[in-house]
Structures are given as C-alpha cells and as structure tokens.
Amino acid sequence: MAWTYSGDPDSSALDGIRFLIGDTDTNDQLLSNEEITWVNSQVTGSTTSTDSLYESSYRCMISIASKFSRLADQSVGELRVSMSQKAEGARTQAKELKALSSKEGGVPTPYAGGITQSDKDIDRENSDLVQPWIKSGQFGNVRDWGAGPQKAPTHSESSWRSS
C-alpha cells in the first residue's frame, strides 16, 4: 500500500483530503492512498473528484477514530500513553469536518438556460437533450412557402383570381 503527500493540497483530491485530516507526516501514516481514494470514490463516484473533500475527509476521520479506538491505554511505571485521547481527538475532528461538509458547495447559483442565442444553439446541438414537442413555426402555412400567415383574399382579389 502506498502513502504519498506532495505538500500541495490544491494538486489533487488525495492531497486535499490528507491535508484536512492531518495525515501529512511520512513517519506517522494514518491511511494509505488506496484507502483515501476508495472513500472519495464512495462519496463522489470518482477517486479524483474534488467535489466533496470535506465529506470524504469526515469519513476518513471516522475510520481513523475507529482505528485508534482499538488501541488500549497503556502505562509502565510513571509513563502513560492514552490512546483513548487520540480516538476522542479524531472523533472531535470528524465532527468539525462534518460541520464543514454541510457548508461545502456554498450557496447555489440560479441558472436560467435558453435565454441567450448561444444557450439555444448549444441545446439544439445536444443530441442527449430531450427536444421540445412544439417548436416555433411548427403549424405555419406551407402553401405560401413560408412567406407568412395565410390571409383570406379580399373581395377584389377574389374576383381577380376567379377571372
């Protein structure tokens, strides 16, 4: 299993998640690359997506807290190692990441499509887009070869055509 961290959280989802969970020390590796990318894939559907870094980080911290929870507190004479504090710290960090994940993505931006000519052209060329049932000019008069709506002939035109 591999462990890498470039020091640039902006370079990849893996480095971004490592930065958020604090797994940046080569000498104290908490999760492997494969474990982190699997979690990211479960959350976003992709191992490289940066759409939900805080949610992926939250889930990674839950995993780390579970790993620490398996370890027992130890003491030898005056020396004490409290592994339960590490597990509790990981759970606290997970809660903070969960709170941040609820804010991830920010405020939705409304979008009104099809109001510009370029939007309409893009929609018309998109073969996957469901095309409308009714289009402008669908019921136009074809007898005048598209010149305009058919007019009823006036009395003088009517007598002229009949002659």
Side-chain angles (χ1 to χ4, degrees), residues 16-151:
I17 293 168
R18 276 206 194 284
F19 175 75
L20 291 171
I21 65 175
D23 187 15
T24 58
D25 185 357
T26 305
N27 299 317
D28 185 23
Q29 301 173 4
L30 301 174
L31 295 174
S32 70
N33 291 355
E34 293 83 3
E35 290 168 328
I36 292 174
T37 57
W38 180 82
V39 169
N40 198 36
S41 176
Q42 295 299 302
V43 172
T44 65
S46 167
T47 59
T48 59
S49 176
T50 57
D51 290 340
S52 298
L53 291 179
Y54 288 95
E55 178 67 25
S56 296
S57 298
Y58 158 73
R59 292 185 186 194
C60 286
M61 281 307 296
I62 293 295
S63 176
I64 291 168
S66 297
K67 190 182 287 191
F68 288 156
S69 293
R70 292 192 330 244
L71 305 173
D73 291 348
Q74 299 173 0
S75 63
V76 177
E78 296 292 317
L79 177 66
R80 289 192 169 164
V81 178
S82 182
M83 299 308 274
S84 61
Q85 285 182 336
K86 286 183 88 170
E88 188 55 40
R91 280 190 211 91
T92 301
Q93 179 65 19
K95 287 177 189 173
E96 291 175 11
L97 288 167
K98 185 63 175 174
L100 289 170
S101 75
S102 68
K103 298 174 185 172
E104 195 166 34
V107 178
T109 305
Y111 171 73
I115 59 174
T116 64
Q117 187 60 48
S118 61
D119 274 350
K120 289 180 181 184
D121 292 341
I122 290 168
D123 289 345
R124 211 173 289 115
E125 294 168 6
N126 185 353
S127 62
D128 192 40
L129 187 70
V130 176
Q131 296 298 318
W133 285 79
I134 297 175
K135 294 182 180 179
S136 177
Q138 179 175 350
F139 301 109
N141 183 1
V142 294
R143 289 189 285 173
D144 66 354
W145 295 277
Q150 182 176 354
K151 294 188 328 186

